[in-house]
Amino acid sequence: MSILIIIASAILSVAAIVALWRVVRGPSIVDRVIGSDVLLTTLILVVGTEMVATGHTRTIPLMVVLAATALLGTVAVARFVTRPEATATHTAATGSASARPDETEKGMD
Amino acid sequence: MVDAEPWASILDIVAGVLLVGGALLSLAAAAGLVRFPDALSRLHAATKPQILGLVLVVVALALSQRSWAALLVLTPVIVLQMLTAPISAHMVGRAGYRTGDFDASTLVVDELAADVADAGRSDLPGSAEPTDRPTGRAPRSDASGEPSGEA
């Protein structure tokens, strides 16, 4: 059984290193986000594997917190990526469409 | 409980096999991160160990602990991951589509392009490519009928 745990740990180490390589090398920020997501998932699996290997249950709350908050950074970066194009289009459309300022004020509300 | 020892060793071996399975899923995601060409393909590979790999490792942990308290605390891990992983994958896929970080020639059908064209968003990548496939004006009605891609 311990040899299986050693094999699983080695595979998880390779996966974490490859995900970190993608985070460093990723051509776009979406690639980096996906790589960091894989790295975080691998970290959760490493925490579980370590608990199986040593036989304690002290880091189960760490698994719960990581599984619950894994989406926060991803959603924040995804919104950060898609936000500037939308606001630029919106301001361009409102600036070109209306000539009178009161119409602009009504449109802004 | 005379024969508790062979069951314990069998459960430990099953737990080790499940751990190796979860690790192999994570390695498959890492291989997809290296081998696949664009961000949306990498997203497809990256979302595999988030549910199944975690389920395998959590089941292995429950089999090695063999207590109801551990199972009770391990259940929210899977439930929370099942709740949050589709949200993050959806948001990353949305960002990947909006930034144009995919090869449009590898798509069989771009089902979002017709809706982007209907919405008049010229800043999104679906409206930039020429509409050479008949997915045009009524995408909802004939979506189930004719296979418009060149698959």
Side-chain angles (χ1 to χ4, degrees), chain A residues 1 4 8 11 15 18 22 28 31 34 37-38 41-42 44 51-52 56-57 60 64 67 74 78-79 81-82 89, chain B residues 12 19-20 23 26-27 30 33-34 39 42 46 50 53-54 61 65 73 77 80-81 84 91-92 94-95 99 101 123:
Chain A
M1 174 190 127
L4 289 174
I11 294 172
V18 170
R22 176 52 70 191
S28 72
D31 293 313
I34 294 169
D37 220 347
V38 172
T41 305
T42 309
I44 299 175
M51 271 189 285
V52 174
H56 67 83
T57 58
I60 286 180
V64 176
T74 303
R79 293 298 295 171
V81 167
T82 59
T89 307
Chain B
D12 283 343
L19 279 182
V20 173
S26 185
L27 183 66
L33 281 183
V34 174
R42 287 171 192 148
Q50 287 186 354
L54 188 68
L61 188 53
Q65 293 296 327
V73 188
V77 178
L80 286 171
Q81 188 75 11
T84 59
M91 292 299 289
V92 171
R94 184 169 172 269
T99 54
D101 198 358
D123 55 335

Side-chain angles (χ1 to χ4, degrees), chain A residues 17-75:
Chain A
I17 289 172
V18 170
L20 193 60
W21 176 82
R22 176 52 70 191
V23 171
V24 173
R25 280 291 305 276
S28 72
I29 193 169
V30 182
D31 293 313
R32 295 180 209 274
V33 168
I34 294 169
S36 70
D37 220 347
V38 172
L39 188 60
L40 187 65
T41 305
T42 309
L43 180 65
I44 299 175
L45 299 190
V46 164
V47 169
T49 307
E50 192 264 343
M51 271 189 285
V52 174
T54 58
H56 67 83
T57 58
R58 291 191 297 272
T59 48
I60 286 180
L62 185 59
M63 287 181 77
V64 176
V65 170
L66 283 178
T69 61
L71 88 161
L72 291 181
T74 303
V75 170

